[in-house]
Amino acid sequence: MDQRRLERLLAALHDADESPSVLRRICVVGRDCASVAAAGLSATVDGRHAVVEASDPHAMDVETLQVTHREGPCLDAMASFRPLLEPDLASARARQRWPMFAPDALDHGVAAAFAFPLMAGGVAVGAFDLYATSTGSLGREQFNDALLLADLAALAVDQGVGAITIDGVGIRAEPAEPWAHSAVVNNASGMVSEQLGIDVDEALLRLRAVAFATDRPMVDIARDVVARQLRIESWATHD
């Protein structure tokens, strides 16, 4: 685990925008870190593949194309459990692979698309997509940032961290209820929320991110926080 990368991305998420949705923040940070035009997230909702968040309305439209056509890089990434990187949607390869999505994406000004599966418990629960308006591959740093953001998105999607609302579509996923976590996790989330001046959902994601980075169960991280053996630092204090 690249701890410095994690801290840098967590700080960027903290400062991304005022949206209460963690998933929207991930889209915005992913777009900016990769220097692409847009980013989106889709997930399996009640057994259906659905768009859950995007960096902007344009990204939402392109994400919807994949759901509507039932084809595209996000679906292939989820099926293969691996990133699907297409640097040129106008290529014969891309048009043959996605005969409906590729031309429609081009019509929307998207020249390249990169999809990263959201892995939780050995299952792909969704995909994180980046869309570029010019052809070309992602750089190594951009690729690694996207991989880690996909991991953070998987944590949020799997636990329902942060309310997700899509205006005009009627999709809303509520945050996990307090009883869904053990008492020590709830206590630790409350302590982190109070210490850092952030809401409880953001504090919970912070605990999960630390557990993910250190490869420890979240309940163990929570016990250390409650016992004051571990202090969770502000997302905004890291360069």
Side-chain angles (χ1 to χ4, degrees), residues 57-163:
H58 179 250
M60 186 72 72
D61 289 342
V62 181
E63 281 288 295
T64 302
L65 290 176
Q66 299 195 67
V67 173
T68 301
H69 293 317
R70 298 183 181 180
E71 65 176 34
C74 73
L75 290 162
D76 288 0
M78 290 172 65
S80 66
F81 298 171
R82 296 183 298 178
L84 196 293
L85 312 176
E86 180 45 69
D88 185 2
L89 285 171
S91 66
R93 173 189 62 251
R95 289 179 178 273
Q96 182 177 11
R97 189 166 197 166
W98 309 303
M100 292 181 288
F101 169 75
D104 276 4
L106 289 166
D107 287 343
H108 280 71
V110 176
F114 314 98
F116 301 80
L118 310 185
M119 301 301 299
V123 176
V125 297
F128 175 49
D129 301 319
L130 300 175
Y131 302 110
T133 55
S134 59
T135 59
S137 302
L138 294 175
R140 180 180 295 275
E141 288 300 304
Q142 296 170 321
F143 178 84
N144 288 334
D145 281 353
L147 277 179
L148 188 45
L149 286 169
D151 286 337
L152 293 175
L155 293 178
V157 167
D158 189 43
Q159 292 297 314
V161 175

Side-chain angles (χ1 to χ4, degrees), residues 14-52:
H14 178 79
D15 297 331
D17 61 24
E18 297 180 354
S19 170
S21 168
V22 170
L23 295 180
R24 174 170 167 76
R25 292 186 184 202
I26 288 173
C27 290
V28 171
V29 170
R31 176 196 66 192
D32 295 345
C33 286
S35 299
V36 294
L41 281 160
S42 62
T44 301
V45 179
D46 294 331
R48 298 182 302 108
H49 182 218
V51 179
V52 293

Side-chain angles (χ1 to χ4, degrees), residues 159 176-190 204 207 217-223 226:
Q159 292 297 314
E177 296 293 341
W179 47 259
H181 302 285
S182 66
V184 70
V185 172
N186 288 326
N187 290 342
S189 297
L204 178 60
L207 288 173
M218 187 167 70
V219 68
D220 289 351
I221 298 296
R223 288 195 186 101
V226 171

